[in-house]
Amino acid sequence: MDIRIMGRETLRVFTNAVKAAALIHLFSTNFFQFNETSGDSMLPTLQVSRDFCIVDKRYRYGRGLRVGDVIMARKPSMPEQWVCKRITGMPGDIILIDPSKDTLSNLQLDGDEENLKLKELKTKEEQENQKNFDQYVIIPEGHCWVTGDNLSHSIDSRTYSVLPLGLISGKLIYGWYIPSFFNFKQHYLRKMDNSDLDIDIDIDNEL
Amino acid sequence: MSSIFRNFKTKSAQAKPLFKYTFNRIFLIASWIPVLYVIHEHVFHIGKIEGISMKPTFNPTANIRDHVLLWKWNVKRPETLKQNDVVFLRSPINPELIYIKRIKGQQGDLITPRYPDTRSKVLIPTGHVWVEGDNVHSIDSNTYGPVSTGLVIGKVGYIVWPLNRIGPVPDGGRECRISMLRNQGLGYGGLGGELTDLGEFGDDHDDKN
């Protein structure tokens, strides 16, 4: 009789655990989610490591997103990976892709170890870089343009082109830097840009 | 005998707090809803098919809407999506709409698109698939290009309604991978990349169709 009661109790604990996990998952998929970020592509907005974020999932699939929002999305070329970038273009915008592309290849280190400086080469390669100012893209319907805040160390839309809005899973509203869990003084919770705005602005009246 | 009286007594004592009893029951049933939701979102789901872009494979008659078993687990990886799978995907044009199309090309394949795509061949990038509807008049990758597998919601396994068509999904659509067309000796030649004599894979505007 003991074993039967233990068995029934274990089953009850197990089913309650499954129900609780499902409820937490439902909440974190549709409302708010707590995630860890890593990488230097969003400096200084997000730190390289130990920076966590709270994602508002009500903005998934591009609902109510504007230019300037920091979003979390799947990478188009590798959908198991998640990327955290800032929207810098919405459908219909004309984007200049990357005027700084390959410009650093023209710079050369000059001088000895103590007085190292960059000497700019004025070769015809530099003149060729002017063509970077001619590469534009018009963002099609249902897509957006994302860039990391740390442009020199970010793989974003300048590499994989426009991002479909269907891949976006939410908007970052808070960043939470947690260097060590128990040392609460060092925690740093801050609001991300645009997280206060949830009013609709009438574009026609603005102009 | 005495045991019968004992049961009768305890049952009538339990009948009094009826409201609490029903509330408990409702709560118990409702507590399974999140679990059902997770299964519906991530494991499988019965999906309804609307529209004509997959005729004649789905919805061949005008007034019956096909229902299919949609498998959602592990489906966003390029490895699980095979050639000729029918998938539900979020539209690249409007993420609130869900399209149903068949995969006709995977990452790395060279594809020959048809109207309205005017290119002679398309290379599918990493993590993307080429989707086409079985019906000629469908808006598919020939309009919006290769689609990231992250937009795929689920893979269709079986037709479950109507009852006379229960079973696995039939094949359909055209072969558009250049490697397969070459192997069949159907000729991919000409300076403009025109396809010559593709037989049954040819232009769907033919009279014989």
Side-chain angles (χ1 to χ4, degrees):
Chain A
M1 170 123 137
D2 259 343
I3 302 280
R4 270 176 42 192
I5 290 181
M6 260 170 53
R8 217 179 312 152
E9 281 304 307
T10 322
L11 186 66
R12 177 135 51 107
V13 169
F14 179 70
T15 42
N16 282 346
V18 167
K19 290 177 187 178
L23 187 65
I24 293 174
H25 183 82
L26 195 157
F27 182 77
S28 78
T29 325
N30 290 314
F31 296 100
F32 298 97
Q33 187 177 30
F34 181 78
N35 261 324
E36 180 175 15
T37 65
S38 75
D40 57 356
S41 63
M42 281 297 287
L43 282 170
T45 317
L46 291 170
Q47 297 307 306
V48 177
S49 63
R50 304 189 107 62
D51 208 352
F52 298 79
C53 60
I54 296 181
V55 181
D56 190 343
K57 300 294 215 150
R58 297 170 301 175
Y59 290 91
R60 62 182 187 268
Y61 311 139
R63 294 165 190 167
L65 283 178
R66 305 152 50 89
V67 170
D69 290 347
V70 182
I71 50 120
M72 191 169 93
R74 291 182 186 269
K75 202 184 229 185
S77 49
M78 225 174 307
E80 308 95 61
Q81 282 186 7
W82 295 90
V83 293
C84 215
K85 301 281 177 228
R86 190 182 295 270
I87 293 184
T88 39
M90 287 301 271
D93 289 346
I94 304 175
I95 302 279
L96 173 60
I97 296 181
D98 193 358
S100 66
K101 194 170 170 186
D102 296 334
T103 43
L104 288 181
S105 60
N106 281 348
L107 302 174
Q108 197 182 55
L109 290 175
D110 191 23
D112 52 38
E113 265 182 33
E114 278 142 20
N115 300 323
L116 218 50
K117 58 183 176 173
L118 295 169
K119 177 178 93 171
E120 232 171 282
L121 290 177
K122 298 216 191 301
T123 62
K124 65 176 180 210
E125 276 118 2
E126 201 187 69
Q127 291 163 7
E128 264 178 26
N129 281 328
Q130 291 306 307
K131 73 172 184 284
N132 286 334
F133 283 92
D134 299 335
Q135 289 182 339
Y136 290 84
V137 69
I138 300 181
I139 300 178
E141 211 184 329
H143 294 73
C144 63
W145 191 263
V146 290
T147 47
D149 286 351
N150 187 4
L151 286 172
S152 53
H153 270 229
S154 164
I155 298 188
D156 46 37
S157 281
R158 296 169 296 163
T159 308
Y160 46 73
S161 192
V162 289
L163 179 85
L165 289 176
L167 292 177
I168 294 180
S169 91
K171 170 171 145 175
L172 265 67
I173 47 173
Y174 282 93
W176 195 346
Y177 181 61
I178 305 179
S180 103
F181 183 75
F182 290 110
N183 194 345
F184 294 123
K185 278 209 193 108
Q186 286 179 345
H187 287 198
Y188 178 42
L189 179 69
R190 75 264 187 211
K191 267 198 171 155
M192 307 292 285
D193 306 320
N194 284 6
S195 51
D196 285 324
L197 275 135
D198 37 44
I199 49 171
D200 293 318
I201 296 183
D202 196 344
I203 305 285
D204 293 330
N205 282 345
E206 266 201 339
L207 295 173
Chain B
M1 276 287 274
S2 61
S3 64
I4 297 174
F5 284 129
R6 192 167 59 221
N7 282 345
F8 185 76
K9 217 171 167 180
T10 48
K11 271 194 184 145
S12 65
Q14 274 176 2
K16 274 181 198 156
L18 181 67
F19 177 72
K20 197 172 173 199
Y21 176 76
T22 49
F23 182 77
N24 270 334
R25 281 283 146 178
I26 290 175
F27 184 74
L28 186 68
I29 294 172
S31 66
W32 283 105
I33 291 178
V35 183
L36 294 175
Y37 171 84
V38 172
I39 294 178
H40 163 281
E41 266 307 297
H42 291 286
V43 185
F44 70 88
H45 167 49
I46 305 281
K48 185 164 80 157
I49 302 198
E50 303 263 0
I52 54 158
S53 71
M54 285 298 285
K55 265 186 168 178
T57 314
F58 295 129
N59 285 0
T61 48
N63 42 2
I64 302 180
R65 293 275 159 270
D66 283 7
H67 289 67
V68 293
L69 187 70
L70 192 65
W71 185 249
K72 289 179 161 188
W73 182 253
N74 232 8
V75 95
K76 289 195 202 286
R77 305 165 147 268
E79 304 91 55
T80 28
L81 297 173
K82 303 274 186 302
Q83 178 77 3
N84 281 326
D85 279 344
V86 178
V87 292
F88 277 44
L89 60 126
R90 252 177 219 287
S91 160
I93 302 177
N94 180 356
E96 308 293 338
L97 300 176
I98 298 181
Y99 292 165
I100 301 159
K101 300 280 178 266
R102 193 185 291 269
I103 292 180
K104 281 300 179 187
Q106 295 172 297
Q107 61 191 9
D109 285 347
L110 263 180
I111 293 285
T112 324
R114 60 171 184 213
Y115 179 83
D117 197 325
T118 50
R119 296 175 285 189
S120 59
K121 47 188 168 200
V122 177
L123 179 65
I124 301 179
T126 328
H128 287 64
V129 288
W130 186 267
V131 292
E132 286 192 357
D134 289 350
N135 196 344
V136 174
H137 313 290
S138 78
I139 310 260
D140 47 30
S141 279
N142 293 304
T143 309
Y144 43 74
V147 164
S148 171
T149 54
L151 291 172
V152 170
I153 298 174
K155 192 160 81 162
V156 173
Y158 292 91
I159 303 180
V160 297
W161 182 267
L163 297 170
N164 59 340
R165 296 177 52 238
I166 283 188
V169 177
D171 272 343
R174 66 176 186 128
E175 178 61 69
C176 46
R177 292 172 295 175
I178 293 178
S179 53
M180 300 304 285
L181 295 169
R182 272 212 193 102
N183 287 345
Q184 292 167 12
L186 293 175
Y188 177 73
L191 293 170
E194 303 94 338
L195 293 153
T196 55
D197 191 4
L198 294 177
E200 63 188 283
F201 300 121
D203 201 330
D204 290 287
H205 307 299
D206 269 357
D207 295 327
K208 61 181 178 234
N209 282 341

